[in-house]
Amino acid sequence: MRKSVIVGNWKMNKTPTEASELLDQISKLDLDREVEAGVCTPAIDLLLAKDKLSETNVNFGAQNMYFEESGAFTGEISPTMLQDIGASYVILGHSERREYFHEDDELINKKVLSALDHDLTPILCCGETLEEREAEKHEEKVRGQIEADLEGISNEDIEKVIIAYEPIWAIGTGKTASSDDADSMCGYIRSIIADKFGEEYAQKVRIQYGGSVKPNNVVELMGKENIDGALVGGASLKAEDFESLVNYNK
Ligand code: PGA
């Protein structure tokens, strides 16, 4: 059985003062322990997350990192730094990083390998644009991303990776993919993993859906066979919504 995993992606929101308040609220929530929960905060809020969530079962992680351990890479944070503070996750290849910061699959692949080398769980994002969906190129696009981003990963490591299918047209737009479309793409991603690593490993990999997940659609999405979790932007910024998302089973 794959354990459900609901992770908040705060993006570039919450100053340390605001983060401190939200993390205090999150630390007091009564969350379903059957569900793995986490928040990926801005880098500047990570130490607060470590401190405020230490007595809870909510994990924390980063939204990006460089693949080198240290050195002359002004402005970057490293896997060693994230490992040192006990981060669980690092989101890699988010569409906003691919689009605005020109990250390509070769770079993302290096980051995925480096995260695994440092005991961090990569949350690897993939997904198509609206034009690609309308041209029925969504499967091709996602296959290309997954194959390139997971190049060189061992069978033992693939089961530690979380994949987030996030159709770009659904991110922050209020337009969710239908639960059937989301399920079918998550199933398709599982078949790509099976082709590359074998069915046994594909059955272990957790695949999240992301893109306008809210308390009012999480139950339907999580009811789907191939959707094992959600990567949630906007709705993760309010403690009560985060609680409803993690407690979708209650
Ligand atoms: P959203 O963002 O929930 O605000 O659509 C999801 C994401 O980009 O991870």
Side-chain angles (χ1 to χ4, degrees):
M1 264 302 272
R2 300 183 293 266
K3 187 170 186 178
S4 303
V5 55
I6 307 276
V7 176
N9 171 13
W10 288 12
K11 308 195 178 185
M12 197 176 73
N13 293 295
K14 303 294 172 190
T15 62
T17 308
E18 294 162 346
S20 178
E21 206 175 302
L22 178 55
L23 289 162
D24 276 337
Q25 292 166 358
I26 290 175
S27 71
K28 292 183 192 125
L29 299 176
D30 182 18
L31 300 176
D32 184 352
R33 289 186 172 255
E34 301 293 309
V35 175
E36 185 176 315
V39 290
C40 290
T41 74
I44 199 165
D45 299 328
L46 283 169
L47 279 172
L48 279 167
K50 173 189 169 67
D51 179 36
K52 304 246 178 213
L53 300 176
S54 63
E55 305 287 307
T56 75
N57 64 331
V58 181
N59 300 319
F60 68 94
Q63 301 169 13
N64 181 34
M65 63 168 211
Y66 197 52
F67 59 85
E68 296 282 4
E69 292 192 333
S70 64
F73 304 102
T74 301
E76 295 295 293
I77 60 168
S78 79
T80 333
M81 294 169 187
L82 294 177
Q83 194 177 25
D84 183 78
I85 63 163
S88 298
Y89 315 111
V90 57
I91 299 174
L92 295 173
H94 191 280
S95 59
E96 288 149 19
R97 302 252 13 126
R98 292 179 192 260
E99 186 183 347
Y100 307 137
F101 304 97
H102 313 294
E103 295 201 10
D104 60 14
D105 288 315
E106 196 184 325
L107 175 65
I108 294 162
N109 175 241
K110 286 186 180 146
K111 293 183 176 194
V112 172
L113 288 164
S114 173
L116 289 165
D117 274 351
H118 294 86
D119 293 325
L120 298 163
T121 296
I123 300 181
L124 171 64
C125 302
C126 60
E128 81 284 357
T129 62
L130 188 57
E131 296 74 60
E132 287 158 345
R133 165 68 61 167
E134 283 170 351
E136 300 199 0
K137 295 235 179 324
H138 46 293
E139 292 193 346
E140 194 183 313
K141 168 72 174 289
V142 166
R143 176 176 284 274
Q145 289 179 323
I146 294 292
E147 286 182 347
D149 299 344
L150 296 180
E151 189 56 44
I153 286 168
S154 67
N155 282 5
E156 298 78 70
D157 276 347
I158 187 63
E159 47 187 280
K160 298 176 198 150
V161 177
I162 296 174
I163 294 176
Y165 168 61
E166 299 203 308
I168 296 167
W169 47 272
I171 296 177
T173 57
K175 284 187 203 150
T176 325
S178 75
S179 56
D180 286 337
D181 282 349
D183 185 47
S184 113
M185 278 307 280
C186 291
Y188 179 67
I189 291 167
R190 202 175 301 290
S191 76
I192 303 170
I193 311 279
D195 290 347
K196 220 169 147 53
F197 300 91
E199 185 61 32
E200 187 195 334
Y201 291 99
Q203 284 306 323
K204 293 183 185 161
V205 173
R206 293 181 296 173
I207 304 177
Q208 296 175 316
Y209 166 76
S212 300
V213 178
K214 309 280 176 210
N216 66 8
N217 58 25
V218 68
V219 177
E220 185 177 341
L221 288 161
M222 291 303 294
K224 294 291 173 183
E225 185 186 344
N226 283 296
I227 302 179
D228 306 314
L231 185 59
V232 188
S236 71
L237 295 170
K238 277 201 193 127
E240 64 269 32
D241 286 353
F242 184 68
E243 181 174 40
S244 309
L245 291 163
V246 175
N247 290 348
Y248 71 90
N249 252 333
K250 285 192 171 177

